[in-house]
C-alpha cells in the first residue's frame, strides 16, 4: 500500500537513504578504524553490524509507512461504508495505474473497485474488474482473496440472472472458507455472509423460507451504514414478496434516506415514486464464464513451527543453502585476505583451515540468524497478542533467542527437508502432510 500514496512513496525512498546513512554512521562509530587502509579485521566486523542496522532501520521505516498507508486506506473505505460510493470510486480509480506491475496490490485494488461498482449498481464493470483479478497465492492472503473474489462474482452473476454460475462461485467461496491457511477466527467472520448469500440464492429461486430471520439478524449485526442499508433493502424485497406493502415502504424509505449514492438508494427511490421495484437489467456485455479459482491444496502445513508443505520446505532449504554458500565464500575469502595481510592469525595457521574456519563462522553464524528468525516468527505469530507485544518490546532479547535457536536447528532442519523431499519424490504418498 505504500506506493498507492505519494507521501508514503516519497517517504519510502527517503527512508532507504536515511537507513543507509544511519547504519553507516553507527557502524562507523562502533568500528572507527574500519575505513582505514589495511584494517581488514575491523571491516569484517563492521560489515555485519551495518547490515543488521540497515535491516532494523528498514523494517521500522517500512512498518511505520505501512501503518500510515493503512490508516489512509481505512479513511477511503469509510467513504464506502458511509455510502459515498462516488467519492470512494473517484479515489480508487486513481490507484489502478499505480499497481500495473505490483500483483498483490493490483489484486487488492481490483477487488476494491469491483466492490465499489457493485454497490454503485454497475455489475458489468464489476465483472470486468474481477476478470482481471488473477493473483491467488496458495496462502492466507490467497484464501482471503478467493473469498472476496467469489463473493463479488456471486453478486455479479445473481444480478445478471445467471443462477447456475452464482451457485458455482458460491460453492467455490465455501471451499475458500475451508482453506487450511485461513485461520478459524478468520473464516468465522465470513460464514454469516456466506449464509446470507445462500438465502439470496434461494430467494432468487422463489424460496423465501427463513430469509427474514437471517437478514433481521444481519441488520442487527451490521456496524456500517452500508451494511444496514443493503440489509434493509433485502428485507424490503422480502416484505414485498409476502404482501406487506407498508413494511416494505418503511424499509425503502430508510434506504432512500441513508443510501447515499448506492444502487440500493436508486432502486428505493424508484419504488417510492412508482410503487414498483425494477429488476436490474442483465448485462449486455459478456461476463467472464469462470472466475479465477484459488490453487488446489494438496497438503496441509499444520500448526507447528517445523510443519511445512512441500513448497515451503523447498523455499526454506533453497534460501538457507544458498545463503550459507554465499556467506561461506565471502567470509572464507575475507579470512584468507586477512592472513595474507597480517600473516598467521586465528586458531589455524594454514590457508585452507583459515578459509574453513572463517567460512563456517560467517556462513553458519549469519545463516543461523536468518533461519532462527524464519522459524521463530512462525512460532510467535501463533501466540496471543500479549505474547507478541512482549516479544516486540524486548526485541533484542527475542532476536538473540531466535539466533541461538537458529544455530542449533537451521542447517539440520534444511538437511532434513532435503531428505524428506527426496523421499517424497520416490514415494509420493509418503510425508505429504508433514
Amino acid at each position: 500500500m505504500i506506493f498507492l500514496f505519494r507521501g508514503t512513496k516519497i517517504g519510502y525512498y527517503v527512508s532507504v537513504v536515511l537507513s543507509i546513512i544511519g547504519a553507516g554512521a553507527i557502524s562507523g562509530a562502533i568500528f572507527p578504524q574500519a575505513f582505514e587502509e589495511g584494517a581488514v579485521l575491523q571491516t569484517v566486523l563492521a560489515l555485519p553490524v551495518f547490515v543488521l542496522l540497515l535491516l532494523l532501520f528498514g523494517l521500522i521505516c517500512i512498518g511505520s509507512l505501512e501503518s500510515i498507508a493503512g490508516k489512509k486506506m481505512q479513511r477511503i473505505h469509510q467513504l464506502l461504508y458511509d455510502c459515498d460510493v462516488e467519492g470512494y470510486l473517484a479515489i480508487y480509480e486513481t490507484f489502478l495505474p499505480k499497481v500495473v506491475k505490483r500483483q498483490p496490490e493490483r489484486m487488492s485494488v481490483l477487488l476494491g473497485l469491483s466492490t465499489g461498482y457493485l454497490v454503485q449498481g454497475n455489475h458489468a464493470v464489476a465483472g470486468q474488474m474481477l476478470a482481471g483479478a488473477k493473483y491467488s497465492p496458495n496462502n492466507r492472503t490467497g484464501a482471503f482473496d478467493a473469498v472476496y473474489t467469489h463473493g463479488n462474482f456471486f453478486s455479479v452473476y445473481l444480478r445478471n440472472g445467471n443462477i447456475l454460475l452464482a451457485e458455482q462461485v458460491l460453492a467455490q467461496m465455501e471451499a475458500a472458507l475451508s482453506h487450511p491457511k485461513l485461520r478459524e477466527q478468520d473464516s468465522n467472520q465470513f460464514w454469516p455472509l456466506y449464509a446470507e448469500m445462500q438465502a439470496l440464492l434461494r430467494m432468487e429461486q422463489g424460496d423465501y423460507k427463513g430469509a427474514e430471520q437471517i437478514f433481521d439478524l444481519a441488520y442487527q449485526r451490521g456496524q456500517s451504514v452500508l451494511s444496514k442499508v443493503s440489509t434493509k433493502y433485502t428485507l424490503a424485497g422480502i416484505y414485498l414478496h409476502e404482501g406487506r406493502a407498508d413494511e416494505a415502504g418503511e424499509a425503502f424509505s430508510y434506504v432512500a434516506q441513508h443510501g447515499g449514492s448506492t444502487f440500493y438508494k436508486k432502486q428505493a427511490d424508484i419504488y417510492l415514486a412508482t410503487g414498483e421495484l425494477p429488476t436490474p437489467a442483465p448485462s449486455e456485455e459478456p461476463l467472464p464464464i469462470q472466475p479465477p479459482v484459488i490453487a488446489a491444496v494438496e497438503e496441509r502445513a499444520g500448526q507447528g513451527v517445523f510443519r511445512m508443505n512441500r513448497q515451503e520446505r523447498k523455499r526454506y532449504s533453497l534460501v538457507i543453502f544458498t545463503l550459507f554458500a554465499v556467506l561461506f565464500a565471502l567470509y572464507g575469502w575475507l579470512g584468507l585476505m586477512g592472513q595474507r595481510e597480517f600473516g598467521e592469525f586465528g586458531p589455524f595457521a594454514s590457508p585452507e583451515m583459515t578459509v574453513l574456519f572463517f567460512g563456517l563462522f560467517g556462513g553458519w553464524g549469519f545463516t543461523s540468524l536468518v533461519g532462527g528468525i524464519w522459524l521463530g516468527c512462525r512460532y510467535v505469530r501463533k501466540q496471543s497478542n500479549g505474547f507478541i507485544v512482549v516479544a516486540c518490546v524486548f526485541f533484542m532479547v527475542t532476536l538473540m533467542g531466535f539466533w541461538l535457536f537458529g544455530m542449533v536447528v537451521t542447517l539440520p532442519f534444511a538437511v532434513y527437508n532435503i531428505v524428506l523431499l527426496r523421499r517424497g519424490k520416490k514415494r509420493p504418498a509418503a510425508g505429504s502432510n508433514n
Side-chain angles (χ1 to χ4, degrees):
M1 292 187 294
I2 292 177
F3 293 92
L4 294 179
F5 305 99
R6 183 180 179 183
T8 52
K9 182 178 180 180
I10 295 174
Y12 173 81
Y13 292 115
V14 171
S15 66
V16 169
V17 175
L18 292 179
S19 296
I20 294 174
I21 294 174
I26 295 176
S27 58
I30 297 174
F31 301 99
Q33 299 177 351
F35 301 103
E36 296 180 3
E37 185 177 355
V40 177
L41 184 60
Q42 292 279 341
T43 303
V44 170
L45 295 174
L47 180 61
V49 173
F50 170 78
V51 172
L52 289 175
L53 288 172
L54 181 61
L55 290 174
L56 177 61
F57 292 157
L59 289 174
I60 292 173
C61 292
I62 291 175
S64 300
L65 292 171
E66 285 284 1
S67 177
I68 294 172
K71 291 179 180 178
K72 288 179 177 289
M73 290 298 294
Q74 288 177 0
R75 289 195 290 270
I76 295 170
H77 285 126
Q78 191 61 46
L79 294 174
L80 184 65
Y81 301 148
D82 292 338
C83 294
D84 182 7
V85 187
E86 304 300 332
Y88 170 85
L89 286 175
I91 298 174
Y92 245 86
E93 285 169 351
T94 66
F95 290 159
L96 199 54
K98 301 177 182 179
V99 292
V100 174
K101 297 182 179 180
R102 304 180 66 85
Q103 278 299 333
E105 290 84 353
R106 181 176 175 81
M107 181 71 180
S108 177
V109 170
L110 288 172
L111 286 176
L113 283 171
S114 69
T115 301
Y117 286 123
L118 278 171
V119 176
Q120 186 188 48
N122 197 340
H123 57 278
V125 178
Q128 293 171 10
M129 295 295 107
L130 291 170
K134 303 294 186 183
Y135 179 78
S136 290
N138 191 12
N139 55 25
R140 184 169 175 247
T141 299
F144 269 111
D145 289 344
V147 171
Y148 282 117
T149 301
H150 294 118
N152 283 4
F153 261 119
F154 171 83
S155 299
V156 169
Y157 292 137
L158 197 67
R159 289 192 192 172
N160 204 53
N162 197 325
I163 304 301
L164 179 60
L165 286 180
E167 288 179 337
Q168 291 178 4
V169 296
L170 195 59
Q172 291 167 357
M173 180 180 177
E174 182 181 12
L177 285 170
S178 302
H179 194 284
K181 298 292 180 66
L182 199 64
R183 294 179 296 189
E184 184 176 357
Q185 57 266 39
D186 295 330
S187 58
N188 284 343
Q189 63 180 308
F190 290 112
W191 285 117
L193 177 62
Y194 174 77
E196 293 168 27
M197 290 180 173
Q198 283 185 313
L200 287 172
L201 185 61
R202 291 195 302 269
M203 289 164 56
E204 193 69 21
Q205 296 169 326
D207 180 8
Y208 282 71
K209 184 178 180 180
E212 183 177 352
Q213 290 77 10
I214 291 175
F215 288 101
D216 271 333
L217 181 61
Y219 179 79
Q220 297 170 15
R221 189 174 55 241
Q223 297 180 351
S224 68
V225 177
L226 176 61
S227 64
K228 289 185 174 295
V229 164
S230 63
T231 305
K232 185 66 77 171
Y233 176 82
T234 303
L235 284 169
I238 295 173
Y239 299 149
L240 278 181
H241 176 77
E242 297 179 351
R244 298 151 61 182
D246 291 341
E247 292 177 76
E250 292 177 4
F252 280 127
S253 296
Y254 176 91
V255 174
Q257 181 180 355
H258 299 91
S261 54
T262 64
F263 159 82
Y264 310 109
K265 173 180 169 54
K266 296 172 187 175
Q267 295 286 96
D269 286 341
I270 294 174
Y271 175 83
L272 294 173
T274 65
E276 295 182 0
L277 185 64
T279 302
S283 172
E284 297 179 358
E285 301 180 24
L287 294 176
I289 299 301
Q290 185 68 26
V293 182
I294 191 168
V297 182
E298 297 180 355
E299 51 188 324
R300 186 164 184 155
Q303 299 298 319
V305 173
F306 300 105
R307 294 184 67 84
M308 300 179 178
N309 57 36
R310 292 183 62 84
Q311 187 64 31
E312 291 171 333
R313 292 184 189 279
K314 288 179 181 179
R315 188 182 301 116
Y316 176 88
S317 300
L318 176 63
V319 170
I320 294 303
F321 284 124
T322 301
L323 185 62
F324 179 83
V326 171
L327 291 172
F328 182 92
L330 174 62
Y331 277 86
W333 177 80
L334 289 175
L336 184 60
M337 293 300 100
Q339 186 188 56
R340 291 179 178 178
E341 180 72 20
F342 301 107
E344 296 179 1
F345 73 101
F348 306 105
S350 68
E352 293 79 8
M353 294 305 296
T354 298
V355 170
L356 180 62
F357 173 77
F358 282 98
L360 290 175
F361 175 81
W364 179 42
F366 289 103
T367 302
S368 297
L369 177 61
V370 173
I373 292 175
W374 191 323
L375 297 174
C377 287
R378 286 173 60 88
Y379 171 78
V380 169
R381 72 181 183 182
K382 300 178 186 300
Q383 307 308 309
S384 65
N385 291 337
F387 185 94
I388 294 174
V389 169
V390 172
C392 293
V393 170
F394 297 98
F395 171 75
M396 295 307 298
V397 176
T398 303
L399 184 63
M400 183 60 67
F402 286 170
W403 197 350
L404 293 175
F405 176 71
M407 292 180 73
V408 177
V409 304
T410 296
L411 290 174
F413 184 55
V415 173
Y416 169 78
N417 286 336
I418 295 298
V419 173
L420 197 66
L421 290 169
R422 289 182 63 84
R423 184 186 303 170
K425 285 184 178 181
K426 295 178 181 179
R427 294 183 297 171
S432 61
N433 290 323
N434 289 325

